[in-house]
Amino acid sequence: MRTQVGIVGAGPAGLVLAHLLHLAGIDSIVVENRSRSYIEQRLRAGLLEQGSADLLIETGLGERLQRECMLHDGLFIKFKGELHRLDFRALVGKSVMIYGQQEIVKDLVAARLGYGAPILFEVGDVALHDLGGPHPRIAFTQNGERREIQCDFIAGCDGFHGISRPSIPADRITVFERIYPFAWLGVLVEAPPTRDELVYTHHERGFALLTMRTPRLSRLYLQCAPDEAETNWPDDRIWEKLRLRTAGGEGWQLSEGPIVQKGITEMRSFAVEPMHYGRLFLAGDAAHIVPPTGAKGMNLAIADVRVLARALTAFYKEGREDALAGYSRVCLRRVWKVQRFSWWMTQLLHRFDDDNAFDRRRQLAEIDYITSSRAGAMTWAENYVGLPMEWE
Ligand code: FAD
Ligand code: DHB
């Protein structure tokens, strides 16, 4: 097999890239080691920045998104038992949307298969070859047979645990990393959201977040120990902690219902520089991870592939290599701003066991500042709704 751009991974990064390349008349083949139904069910992100949503709408993927998404003009921050609203529409003139990542994946897969472009599901033993030369190759096993795709370029969109990043010689990239001393327990609940906007809660016993998927499905997160198993979290214990951490304020009543799904997510900040090696370009979680607090991972993945699609289009349509040469530099400017914001929201809202009384007072003072000063609220809002794209 031969293609212009071989794409490893059918997550948001790989599928959005394949879609943008298709619209630019550039061929690609996507290889994915999981099944179609697995990637369409995988429960993950839920919050789309306005820029990410606009891109999906402008490129023909907005039909179901616009019908089913939940548009949010603000959010709530709860601390010392009191709710404070951050109105980002008033502050920075933009909104965000709730629309599940797996719904975006479904829309992207349907669009791609609809125009007859290939996604090879359930491939095994994926390996990358000749990355430093002009004809890189993707090798894999499909239905018991070893196969190969010859490419002009390879996009490594296979997430944090994929094979693309480890295919780069260790002395050609630098890793930056911070691991947090806690994790998130996430649950999906058959109950209407407690509030019609998200509630980010600071509590001395730990962080909690109330978000949603639909008007009848809530998505709730709780800070927990990093090494805890899901089996340590029977439903009763989850509700007890959620009630405790979100309590307070007039008329407050946590909306409860059957828990239909549970999962634990580790918290990590991670980035590599540069985001390419030879003809391999890394995008999304393959190149960087942010802790989920700022809801940025999927949005950052989409921003990377917008830059990559534009650079590949400049190469194929105008014979220019400068945009590909600048890919990593342009992406990393955004990556580091988003890393900073995701770290900042994480340290602002979580309980750190080794913090002393001074640190806790400082944390509360900072939340108080954010919720009572327009300048403070503005920096949260501006980053949260998504920084503008930069192309240079
Ligand atoms: P992935 O989605 O990980 O896709 C990689 C794909 O590659 C997968 O389909 C995988 O199966 C495949 N793959 C892996 N290895 C191989 C291989 N060897 N060969 C072939 N294929 C392979 N982000 C937000 O923007 N907003 C949010 O609200 C948000 N909330 C989150 C909440 C939680 C609990 C979690 C866990 C994450 C959240 N994120 C959020 C982050 C977001 O889900 C990720 O950043 C996003 O999935 C990254 O997309 P990606 O395409 O780079 O990687
Ligand atoms: C969701 C996840 C987040 O980490 C966040 O900050 C906001 C929303 C979500 O899953 O809906």
Side-chain angles (χ1 to χ4, degrees), residues 7 14-30 36 56 59-61 105-119:
I7 300 176
L15 291 169
V16 172
L17 177 64
H19 184 62
L20 296 177
L21 293 179
H22 169 78
L23 295 177
I26 299 167
D27 286 341
S28 65
I29 299 178
V30 181
R36 178 176 177 184
L56 297 174
T59 59
L61 294 163
V105 165
K106 277 183 208 158
D107 295 344
L108 284 159
V109 169
R112 183 162 177 86
L113 299 179
Y115 47 67
I119 307 178

Side-chain angles (χ1 to χ4, degrees), residues 124-173:
D125 301 324
V126 179
L128 307 184
H129 299 294
D130 297 338
L131 296 173
H135 305 294
R137 289 173 294 126
I138 304 175
F140 57 93
T141 305
Q142 193 183 30
N143 302 323
E145 248 180 69
R146 201 72 190 146
R147 307 186 69 185
E148 221 176 68
I149 308 172
Q150 294 194 344
C151 316
D152 297 337
F153 300 98
I154 297 177
C157 301
D158 49 351
F160 185 65
H161 299 288
I163 49 88
S164 296
R165 193 184 60 255
S167 305
I168 301 177
D171 62 350
R172 300 297 295 271
I173 48 174

